[in-house]
Amino acid sequence: MSLDLLTYLFIGGSFVLYIGIAIWARAGSTKEFYVAGGGVHPIANGMATAADWMSAASFISLAGLVSFIGRDGAAYLMGWTGGYVLLAMLLAPYLRKFGKFTIPDFVGDRYYSQTARLIAIICTIVISFTYVAGQMRGVGIVFSRYLHVDINTGVVIGMAIVFFYAVLGGMKGITYTQVAQYCVLILAFMVPAIFMSMQVTGHFLPQVGLGATLDSGLSVLATLDKLSIDLGFAEYTAGKKSTVDIFCLTAALMAGTAGLPHVIVRFFTVPRVKDARTSAGWALIFIAILYTTVPGVAGFGRVNLIQTINGVDNAGTSYETMPTWFKNWENAGLLGWKDYNGDGKVQYAAGAAFDGSKGKPAFDGDARGEHGERAVTNAYANPTAKPGVPFANEVYVDRDIMVLANPEIAQLPNWVIALVAAGAVAAALSTAAGLLLVISTAIAHDLMKTIINPKISEKQELMYARMAAVVAICIAGYFGINPPGFVAQVVALAFGLASSSVFPVIVMGIFNKRMNKEGAIAGMCVGLGSTMAYMIYFTFMGGDKADLFLGISTGGFGAVGMVLNFIVAYVVSMMTPPPPAEIQDIVENIRVPRGAGEAHAH
Amino acid sequence: MSTQDNASAYWSENLRIITTYLSVWFVVSYVCGILLVDSLDAIPFFGFPLGFWIAQQGAIFIYVGLIWMYVSSMNKLDEKYDVHE
């Protein structure tokens, strides 16, 4: 069967499955809409959390990122999994015992303040919107590459599907679709990874395969180190960023992960406090299956990529004999080649191949060069090879294509390629749906029902929630079609916000009975303000990298913002009156599991 | 023992459990995975440099273990103080 037909079958089949589940699990009450009725089994919730959490970034981008930056990629691997330890021990059980629907519920009630509630609502909405834009883009890329529709049509199809099950099914529909989506995405990630591990090393498990010794007598990692040095890259297994930067980045990602609203809200859906803990354990197992495979995929992918492009003799491969995947991704605009040394061969080495931001090529429409390659308008006039490297870099390879192109580079059967496409779509849609639900809950429940008009009936509230979901989907779709040119930076902002505001304010609310509203509000404002100011100054206002605080990059500053939040909140709370007795009773109460009952409305 | 005393004894044991597990979490991620990673890389571990392996894979396995040990410690603690559901 042809690849196109298979891809249509796999993606179409998965859509039918999701829609079927959505119809079976429609929501009838606000409780079903917000927390799936509060009766989800911990294993099912663990899978749903894993699918919710593993976005297009985890599925499509992470292995590519690790592949290109080597050991420093550990900050993402540890940051995005270690956060679950914090979530399980510091947040999930207590928030479940608290037993409302949302983060603003907790912040507003615990700090007896509508101002604190409003800040929490704004954080929730900003974090979720920045995140969702990237997901819609991911759907668009997959559709445009595999189904030959343009990116915009792809985004619209993705919107329609999410619309169907998020608006109709609410949390209940989303939970059970996410269980199915987890199965699709993990299969799609593992099958090619196992194939590649078998091909490269003969080991079945990619986790073990990465440490294996190749026929050449060198281990995979030693081979990567050698290839990297030969081509002028830094050693694969050595760190490049400063230790303090990696430390802060890891801390910000961990606290950010634990503070992301769409992840936290999943723990409101289980029946008991005990289940919230167990569920975090299951979620991390399901996530770890993918995350521990990533280093293998990154390593094998990099070896395959370098050896395919440069050939075994490290002299390059002529463009005419390049495999089809190279040309396909070139047509999709994510690869580019310029024959600097005029030998007709494609050669890959360290350094930017083109004079653009991050070395990206600017294509001259559909014009072609003498070998049939896409013509590029921003080639360098006199590119120089790095010392000791026989040629200058001629290729731009977008990091995001690694996972999607891996099966083609490794010449796996067509059904594997189709499966990967379906998996990428599942990863993007499941996360998008979770985020959209959080946005609609924040608007209907926290803003309309709790702050603006507490008198609305449950039916009206449900209607507002659905309307808010519709508006949110349209806005998300708009960002998918017209992506801001800085999606990656914006996602860093989402983690920065979560780690510098949401995470500390909840932890203090549980572990410090003396914490009052003055302290919490001051802490959130300082944490949020400093983090946003730092990121905006260095990302958008052209701040000089030499002025970075201790050399900490914008992605890691959330950790500093978090520390500032804790300090300011503590000092301010000590100078102001303690919270009222009934608030202290709430804190006493959430610390003890018994009596959690069901997640309840006001 | 009054309910109040019971609750505060439960809470301080809970804090001790969390502190123990989070110390392991910190040592694995930040001390072994980041601060001492270069020194640990000198030790070979099934074909990996040890520091690299902990930072990219080992830490994740340990996180999974930590959460499940925490789950079982807390279940026992809930029974002990009779606050389970």
Side-chain angles (χ1 to χ4, degrees):
Chain A
M1 241 189 288
S2 78
L3 176 58
D4 284 356
L5 188 59
L6 275 167
T7 315
Y8 275 110
L9 266 177
F10 274 61
I11 293 186
S14 67
F15 281 1
V16 171
L17 178 69
Y18 307 152
I19 291 173
I21 294 173
I23 293 174
W24 167 72
R26 340 180 260 292
S29 65
T30 45
K31 204 174 128 190
E32 287 187 338
F33 195 90
Y34 295 145
V35 294
V40 179
H41 190 275
I43 298 185
N45 190 51
M47 276 195 196
T49 309
D52 206 353
W53 168 238
M54 293 192 284
S55 59
S58 293
F59 190 93
I60 301 177
S61 309
L62 182 59
L65 188 69
V66 175
S67 194
F68 280 74
I69 66 179
R71 191 184 80 192
D72 287 346
Y76 297 92
L77 292 162
M78 287 198 291
W80 284 340
T81 51
Y84 276 84
V85 179
L86 297 176
L87 189 62
M89 297 187 193
L90 302 180
L91 306 178
Y94 315 105
L95 289 175
R96 175 62 196 87
K97 174 66 193 292
F98 179 70
K100 296 277 180 69
F101 295 146
T102 65
I103 292 176
D105 267 342
F106 177 80
V107 173
D109 290 5
R110 166 64 183 81
Y111 295 112
Y112 46 101
S113 157
Q114 296 295 66
T115 314
R117 192 187 303 269
L118 197 62
I119 299 178
I121 294 174
I122 293 169
C123 289
T124 303
I125 293 177
V126 172
I127 292 171
S128 304
F129 262 125
T130 51
Y131 228 87
V132 87
Q135 308 308 319
M136 286 297 169
R137 193 67 186 166
V139 176
I141 290 180
V142 172
F143 273 89
S144 70
R145 165 65 185 81
Y146 291 101
L147 301 182
H148 314 292
V149 295
D150 64 39
I151 290 194
N152 298 354
T153 318
V155 171
V156 172
I157 297 173
M159 276 165 64
I161 298 288
V162 174
F163 176 85
F164 194 79
Y165 68 75
V167 174
L168 195 67
M171 190 57 138
K172 198 174 166 204
I174 287 177
T175 303
Y176 294 105
T177 357
Q178 280 174 337
V179 172
Q181 282 162 336
Y182 175 76
C183 300
V184 173
L185 84 85
I186 201 70
L187 200 67
F189 199 84
M190 296 308 291
V191 168
I194 291 169
F195 263 113
M196 282 167 63
S197 182
M198 295 287 287
Q199 258 182 6
V200 178
T201 69
H203 281 282
F204 183 72
L205 285 177
Q207 286 85 344
V208 181
L210 189 59
T213 306
L214 302 177
D215 295 337
S216 61
L218 288 173
S219 72
V220 180
L221 288 170
T223 312
L224 270 170
D225 280 344
K226 186 175 172 301
L227 284 173
S228 301
I229 293 168
D230 287 350
L231 296 175
F233 293 100
E235 228 177 319
Y236 189 81
T237 55
K240 287 146 216 104
K241 291 188 183 174
S242 77
T243 303
V244 64
D245 194 14
I246 291 285
F247 193 100
C248 289
L249 179 60
T250 310
L253 294 177
M254 282 189 183
T257 300
L260 283 180
H262 69 289
V263 176
I264 291 181
V265 75
R266 290 237 49 97
F267 294 91
F268 290 97
T269 64
V270 293
R272 293 170 302 176
V273 171
K274 193 177 155 182
D275 300 324
R277 299 183 197 126
T278 320
S279 189
W282 283 114
L284 190 57
I285 288 187
F286 294 130
I287 292 168
I289 297 175
L290 188 143
Y291 271 66
T292 55
T293 306
V294 164
V297 171
F300 306 142
R302 185 125 185 101
V303 172
N304 278 348
L305 177 78
I306 294 176
Q307 293 186 338
T308 308
I309 295 183
N310 286 353
V312 273
D313 54 354
N314 201 21
T317 306
S318 76
Y319 184 82
E320 281 81 3
T321 58
M322 263 301 182
T324 15
W325 63 264
F326 191 91
K327 290 155 192 169
N328 285 339
W329 286 105
E330 190 185 5
N331 289 335
L334 296 171
L335 265 182
W337 173 59
K338 169 77 187 169
D339 191 12
Y340 285 122
N341 55 5
D343 61 358
K345 288 177 173 179
V346 185
Q347 279 132 348
Y348 179 56
F354 300 101
D355 191 8
S357 129
K358 295 186 174 169
K360 284 187 185 175
F363 292 106
D364 185 12
D366 279 331
R368 297 284 161 169
E370 66 171 302
H371 302 280
E373 82 277 15
R374 288 187 74 177
V376 174
T377 55
N378 61 346
Y380 287 112
N382 284 307
T384 43
K386 297 228 169 188
V389 182
F391 38 73
N393 182 25
E394 301 182 337
V395 195
Y396 168 77
V397 184
D398 195 287
R399 289 171 179 181
D400 282 350
I401 71 170
M402 286 304 288
V403 165
L404 296 174
N406 262 337
E408 297 168 273
I409 300 178
Q411 297 168 333
L412 300 182
N414 277 347
W415 66 267
V416 178
I417 301 173
L419 181 64
V420 170
V425 173
L429 289 185
S430 58
T431 307
L435 290 162
L436 291 168
L437 189 86
V438 164
I439 296 171
S440 77
T441 312
I443 291 171
H445 178 73
D446 298 319
L447 201 62
M448 295 302 297
K449 173 91 177 171
T450 314
I451 293 191
I452 297 180
N453 182 8
K455 288 198 285 287
I456 54 173
S457 70
E458 176 166 328
K459 250 204 166 126
Q460 281 172 310
E461 190 186 337
L462 197 55
M463 194 190 69
Y464 281 124
R466 290 200 159 117
M467 275 169 20
V470 171
V471 175
I473 289 173
C474 295
I475 299 177
Y478 173 82
F479 282 125
I481 292 171
N482 305 301
F486 40 84
V487 171
Q489 288 93 325
V490 171
V491 170
L493 185 70
F495 277 94
L497 293 183
S499 66
S500 65
S501 64
V502 179
F503 177 73
V505 82
I506 300 180
V507 168
M508 289 185 296
I510 297 163
F511 289 86
N512 183 352
K513 220 195 303 179
R514 177 67 175 70
M515 184 50 63
N516 57 13
K517 72 171 172 194
E518 290 83 0
I521 293 171
M524 277 200 285
C525 291
V526 170
L528 207 62
S530 59
T531 308
M532 283 189 77
Y534 194 81
M535 288 187 169
I536 290 170
Y537 177 71
F538 286 105
T539 313
F540 303 117
M541 290 169 54
D544 186 357
K545 291 267 181 279
D547 297 336
L548 286 173
F549 175 67
L550 299 175
I552 298 169
S553 56
T554 49
F557 195 80
V560 181
M562 171 174 68
V563 173
L564 290 176
N565 184 336
F566 276 122
I567 295 172
V568 169
Y570 183 77
V571 172
V572 171
S573 76
M574 281 306 165
M575 298 188 310
T576 43
E582 69 265 23
I583 297 299
Q584 306 204 21
D585 289 344
I586 295 184
V587 181
E588 289 286 348
N589 185 277
I590 57 174
R591 290 177 174 184
V592 177
R594 178 166 290 175
E598 296 172 326
H600 46 73
H602 291 278
Chain B
M1 203 157 50
S2 75
T3 337
Q4 189 63 45
D5 290 344
N6 196 41
S8 46
Y10 170 80
W11 183 246
S12 56
E13 269 206 59
N14 178 13
L15 289 182
R16 204 163 53 235
I17 291 174
I18 296 175
T19 315
T20 315
Y21 290 133
L22 286 186
S23 315
V24 178
W25 166 86
F26 182 84
V27 169
V28 170
S29 333
Y30 294 93
V31 179
C32 301
I34 296 172
L35 297 175
L36 299 181
V37 66
D38 289 319
S39 333
L40 290 173
D41 273 347
I43 306 166
F45 180 82
F46 294 104
F48 295 88
L50 183 58
F52 178 90
W53 181 79
I54 291 178
Q56 291 215 341
Q57 284 189 15
I60 303 176
F61 293 123
I62 290 167
Y63 299 150
V64 173
L66 281 175
I67 294 189
W68 282 100
M69 283 182 341
Y70 165 77
V71 166
S72 109
S73 304
M74 288 308 286
N75 286 346
K76 274 189 215 128
L77 192 71
D78 289 355
E79 297 272 343
K80 181 175 162 194
Y81 285 91
D82 191 33
V83 291
H84 58 283
E85 296 160 85

